[in-house]
Structure formats: C-alpha cells, structure tokens
Amino acid sequence: MGNETKRDVFEKLTECYAEVSDAYTFETGSPYYLDDEPNYLDEYDAALPDDLPVIPEAVGNAIADYRKIFGVKVGLVNLLSDLLEPWRIGVGKSVSNIGEEARHHCLVNSNLVAKAWVLGVWRVAETGEIVKLEEEK
C-alpha cells in the first residue's frame, strides 16, 4: 500500500479510459463515448466517503437534535458530556432514550460519534440506511 489516495487511483483510471477512448476513435473513426456523458470526476468529488461512521439510530437522533439545539460548534461537547452522565438534570431527551449498551459503545468509540458529527452523515447500525443532515445556512 503506497501513499496514493483513492482520488489518485480514480484519476489514473480516468486517464486510462481517455487513452482507450482515443485509440478506439483513431481506429474506428467514431467516438468511443458520447459528449453528454457525465463528468465522473465531479461525481466522485460530490460522492460520500466509503468509510462512513456506523452508529446506532438513537445516537444519530441525538446528533441531529444536539446540532439543532446547540449548533455545530459546541453541540458535540455537550453531546459527549451528556452521554457520559445521562442522569444529570438538563440532559436532552434524545440522549436519555439511548440504551446503556449503545451509550457505552459510543463513549468507547467516541471517534465515530465525532466523525459523524463533523461529516453530518453516517450509516445507521440497525438498518444500514445512510442519514445525511441538511447543511446549516
């Protein structure tokens, strides 16, 4: 495994595709692709990452609630604090609804919760569904 990113490999693939297209066009006199073919580099840039965090649905609900209530900048600290001590007064209802096992899993794997928070997108552990929060304006 080298230092190449997935993007580097994808760009090499598009270069190979272009070479095949040029060779085909040269040999046959007709284009290998149509002009209205999508720009896959743009689609790749806009696509979700392969390694989305996988978190329980209840934790995803808490992330959505805390982002809405506290905002992106301070909500994560509040969420992790409330996951640590869910019995405190003022803890959000969405955290109170998280089961002990899921709460413990999230504390042990707080990097997944933080990644889901920052990306605003995650995969639900129970269903495999991808949840993507709307961007704040």
Side-chain angles (χ1 to χ4, degrees), residues 58-103:
V59 176
N61 293 339
I63 288 174
D65 289 348
Y66 275 60
R67 282 177 67 126
K68 194 179 300 177
I69 294 166
F70 298 106
V72 175
K73 293 183 181 176
V74 295
L76 179 59
V77 174
N78 292 330
L79 175 60
L80 292 175
S81 175
D82 287 354
L83 282 169
L84 191 59
E85 298 176 335
W87 55 85
R88 289 188 342 230
I89 295 174
V91 169
K93 193 174 198 172
S94 57
V95 169
S96 300
N97 292 336
I98 297 173
E100 185 68 26
E101 187 177 316
R103 195 173 57 75

Side-chain angles (χ1 to χ4, degrees), residues 5-49:
T5 64
K6 289 182 180 184
R7 174 69 186 210
D8 294 335
V9 174
F10 185 74
E11 286 178 352
K12 279 201 277 187
L13 178 64
T14 58
E15 288 173 18
C16 289
Y17 176 82
E19 289 174 13
V20 168
S21 173
D22 291 346
Y24 180 87
T25 301
F26 179 76
E27 288 290 322
T28 65
S30 62
Y32 182 70
Y33 63 90
L34 303 173
D35 288 335
D36 61 349
E37 192 167 310
N39 183 342
Y40 293 111
L41 292 172
D42 290 343
E43 285 185 32
Y44 186 85
D45 285 340
L48 297 173

